[in-house]
Amino acid sequence: MVELQANTWLTRYNTLRLPARSRYFVCATDRTLLLQAVAQARRDELPLLILGGGSNLVLRGDFPGVCVQLATRGITANQWDSDWQWVTAQAGESWHDFVRTCIANGWYGLENLALIPGTVGACPIQNIGAYGVEVKDYIDAVELLDLASGEVRELSGQDCRFGYRDSIFKGELRDQVVILSVRFRLRRTPQLVIGYQGLAEALAGIADPSPQDLFDAVVALRQRKLPDPAQIPNVGSFFKNPVVDRARYRQLLTRHPGLVAYPDAQGMKLAAGWLIDQAGWKGFSDGPVGVHRQQALVLVHTGGGDGAQLLALAARIQADIQRRYGVALEIEPRIYGSPRLPAGLCW
Ligand code: FAD
Ligand code: NAP
């Protein structure tokens, strides 16, 4: 039977380094451990938190249930045809290592998603995206454990209802399933996406860039522009880019001629980082939490703070952006935990 650790600090398991404990914790390196932990949580009627790399969640306080860090590994090449290669990766695989493995094997499409922290199992949750590519375009199916029925089943990419940083796993199936593995359908012939300004510039000097060149350019760009969570704890973009209809966009543009926005299927996608920057928040700090000095979309924790302080700062920014632009900013990472237990107390 699986042994759950009691009163475990999750500080090192979340990239914001927020101090919070879980009533029980286990690192599941195989499916049997996962199933046993799930059964135990169910028997004791405790909530369950599935953790990957902890790079897209905010621990507001202690978690009163069972936290399972999913660390299952394995990458398998499945069938192929003249255009596509199907590949299955287990949930606990590191996302960045998986992207690197794909390129090394001649399986293409994921290059723009290099250096995104976290695990393969979390990639469908918010349909990770960067530099004009979203993972949904390469997900064939997701294998999942249905927590209500205990059944293992497959959901096709189409049934995952992917949207902009969104999926069924953030809606109807939120906390209802554990993603066990993801099957990708990858290109056998590269088709590079290099439209984003920074990328186009980085690759301008290369006559016929290869997928490896693109991967290297994305890694270099991200290392230059984004704070490394190991140095400055963060969860990447704290807010989603809001999408408004075109009439609203034109109104905003009249009042804010420098407004940065891009066409989107639903209207216009506003650069949330620009809104926050223009409102004067970039570099702002409030004790242990603040806004990164180069990336207004990234909230940081410089040590000694907690999730409640970080969320209070986020709420101030949301209120200010609403007041100035009439635009609602939605928090991107998922929030867990109840108020922290008083020091010295445990479950
Ligand atoms: P976690 O933070 O561990 O979990 C996130 C959520 O998914 C939680 O609700 C968790 O319960 C759930 N979950 C995780 N694994 C499973 C599973 N197997 N089954 C069921 N539920 C699960 N995101 C982007 O989209 N694009 C980017 O370019 C990007 N850049 C980033 C840069 C930095 C510096 C950082 C810190 C973050 C960035 N992110 C980006 C956000 C984040 O890395 C991704 O969302 C990533 O997919 C989260 O993976 P994770 O394993 O850390 O998930
Ligand atoms: P950037 O390239 O400076 O662009 C700023 C914003 O403008 C981005 O949010 C991006 O939207 C949008 N944008 C820029 N060029 C665009 C184009 N040609 N078409 C459509 N939209 C465009 O952004 P950055 O902060 O350095 O990040 C680079 C990429 O990594 C972005 O795609 C970003 O989403 C991704 N990223 C995500 C996270 C996260 O946690 N979610 C963290 C860091 C970086 P999109 O965000 O829709 O791409």
Side-chain angles (χ1 to χ4, degrees):
M1 200 59 190
V2 62
E3 208 166 303
L4 303 178
Q5 292 170 39
N7 285 299
T8 305
W9 283 100
L10 298 178
T11 320
R12 69 190 173 100
Y13 298 115
N14 74 98
T15 63
L16 271 165
R17 299 286 177 264
L18 293 170
R21 284 174 293 175
S22 183
R23 180 163 178 181
Y24 296 107
F25 175 84
V26 66
C27 175
T29 46
D30 62 44
R31 288 190 184 190
T32 307
L33 285 176
L34 168 70
L35 292 173
Q36 289 176 350
V38 167
Q40 216 154 313
R42 185 174 241 201
R43 193 197 58 202
D44 297 342
E45 294 181 8
L46 292 171
L48 187 71
L49 165 57
I50 302 296
L51 193 67
S55 66
N56 210 22
L57 50 82
V58 177
L59 296 170
R60 177 175 37 202
D62 293 327
F63 184 71
V66 179
C67 173
V68 182
Q69 187 189 40
L70 206 44
T72 49
R73 309 299 296 264
I75 298 172
T76 317
N78 311 126
Q79 79 272 26
W80 51 275
D81 65 20
S82 53
D83 297 324
W84 303 98
Q85 171 72 53
W86 282 260
V87 179
T88 301
Q90 299 303 309
E93 283 289 336
S94 142
W95 174 259
H96 178 66
D97 290 348
F98 173 64
V99 174
R100 202 181 3 222
T101 301
C102 289
I103 296 171
N105 282 283
W107 311 326
Y108 305 121
L110 304 176
E111 303 77 31
N112 298 50
L113 306 179
L115 214 60
I116 296 181
T119 54
V120 165
C123 82
I125 305 273
Q126 76 154 2
N127 175 26
I128 57 170
Y131 301 103
V133 171
E134 291 179 296
V135 76
K136 73 174 171 55
D137 297 332
Y138 294 98
I139 291 183
D140 182 43
V142 172
E143 184 197 19
L144 47 83
L145 169 69
D146 186 319
L147 291 169
S149 66
E151 178 200 347
V152 173
R153 62 188 166 92
E154 216 177 73
L155 204 60
S156 72
Q158 208 169 2
D159 289 339
C160 291
R161 295 196 213 137
F162 290 121
Y164 181 61
R165 307 286 188 268
D166 199 20
S167 73
I168 195 169
F169 308 111
K170 283 185 131 183
E172 199 181 312
L173 291 185
R174 185 186 166 130
D175 298 330
Q176 305 296 309
V177 298
V178 181
I179 294 175
L180 299 173
S181 70
V182 181
R183 189 167 70 242
F184 299 86
R185 189 182 71 135
L186 300 167
R187 294 181 191 282
R188 298 189 66 212
T189 308
Q191 196 171 300
L192 307 193
V193 177
I194 52 176
Y196 269 45
Q197 200 185 356
L199 268 189
E201 281 160 12
L203 292 167
I206 304 174
D208 185 15
S210 67
Q212 185 64 48
D213 292 329
L214 177 53
F215 174 92
D216 292 342
V218 169
V219 168
L221 204 53
R222 293 183 72 102
Q223 283 174 337
R224 186 155 50 80
K225 285 189 70 179
L226 296 166
D228 176 356
Q231 313 291 329
I232 307 175
N234 73 86
V235 278
S237 305
F238 206 85
F239 303 102
K240 286 194 198 178
N241 287 327
V243 176
V244 297
D245 63 35
R246 286 179 190 250
R248 180 88 190 94
Y249 165 69
R250 280 192 294 273
Q251 276 175 357
L252 281 167
L253 193 61
T254 314
R255 269 187 273 142
H256 310 280
L259 181 67
V260 177
Y262 299 87
D264 173 273
Q266 266 73 47
M268 291 295 284
K269 178 183 72 179
L270 311 181
W274 185 89
L275 300 175
I276 299 168
D277 186 1
Q278 292 297 305
W281 288 98
K282 197 195 257 184
F284 174 85
S285 70
D286 183 9
V289 296
V291 180
H292 191 257
R293 62 193 154 73
Q294 277 148 359
Q295 283 283 348
L297 205 46
V298 177
L299 300 196
V300 297
H301 169 223
T302 49
D306 62 26
Q309 286 167 299
L310 191 81
L311 291 168
L313 172 61
R316 283 176 67 187
I317 296 172
Q318 283 174 313
D320 191 37
I321 299 303
Q322 181 72 50
R323 188 178 57 78
R324 285 172 192 264
Y325 305 100
V327 170
L329 287 184
E330 190 188 331
I331 292 180
E332 184 179 286
R334 295 190 31 197
I335 301 167
Y336 290 94
S338 25
R340 296 218 5 229
L341 285 179
L345 217 74
C346 50
W347 282 278

